[in-house]
Every structure is written in structure tokens, then in C-alpha cells.
Amino acid sequence: LGLSHIPSLISESYNEVKPGLKRFEKISKEYPSATKYYIGDNLEKDFLAPNQLEWVTIGITPDKDNIHKSELTNLHEKYFPDYWIDSFSQLKDFL
């Protein structure tokens, strides 16, 4: 994806489970004036923490092959990303 120059913290490697805030708060404190992005695919827990901290959240559009299946009609808006993309190639539109 060409994003290796951008700091990132993966929940599993940070010893935290989703929707924990620690790794998001760490990045927010280290880069207070930067726009922060989160990309995910699990509506039940991926977007809660970054939405709470007002990050730009981007969801990978679900399809029949997704690992995470969510019942969209039962979820509050705080669970949804700000934007949806169909492929990782669309990330360049945000950076």
C-alpha cells in the first residue's frame, strides 16, 4: 500500500483488545495536529475508539466473503465509519 512511512499500532501487537483506546490515545498525543485515519472492516468494534477521538474512519465495504458479518440495522451510528471504500487502492483519495 505504500504506507510504511506512516506510524501505525495494531491492537494485537500492542497487547490491547478492540475497542481499547490506549493505542489511539498514544498516536493522538504524539501527533496532536495531524489528521488521524483508521481503516477497518468490523463494525462491531473497529470504529468505536477512533470515532470517539474524532479520527477519520474508513470502512472496507462488506461483501459475501468478509470475515466479519454485522447486522447493520441494529447498530448505532457510533459503530459506523465516516467513509466506505471498496478497495485499498481508494485510500490514496484520503492521503
Side-chain angles (χ1 to χ4, degrees):
L1 297 174
L3 302 175
S4 61
H5 65 286
I6 298 174
S8 61
L9 296 173
I10 299 167
S11 56
E12 290 83 4
S13 62
Y14 202 67
N15 296 320
E16 185 174 43
V17 295
K18 295 173 186 175
L21 284 169
K22 286 191 294 186
R23 65 194 183 286
F24 296 102
E25 290 171 336
K26 177 181 169 112
I27 290 175
S28 291
K29 287 178 185 172
E30 287 182 23
Y31 304 94
S33 61
T35 301
K36 273 85 62 196
Y37 296 89
Y38 182 86
I39 298 104
D41 65 346
N42 185 345
L43 289 177
E44 294 178 2
K45 54 187 168 181
D46 277 355
F47 304 105
L48 284 169
N51 280 343
Q52 183 178 337
L53 296 174
E54 299 181 357
W55 286 33
V56 176
T57 53
I58 302 168
I60 306 297
T61 304
D63 65 24
K64 64 179 179 57
D65 296 325
N66 271 37
I67 294 171
H68 305 292
K69 311 276 189 226
S70 297
E71 180 55 50
L72 303 180
T73 57
N74 295 331
L75 293 176
H76 186 274
E77 66 183 34
K78 68 183 178 183
Y79 289 89
F80 286 87
D82 299 317
Y83 302 97
W84 289 102
I85 59 173
D86 296 319
S87 71
F88 285 112
S89 65
Q90 291 176 287
L91 288 176
K92 67 181 180 303
D93 297 336
F94 295 92
L95 304 175

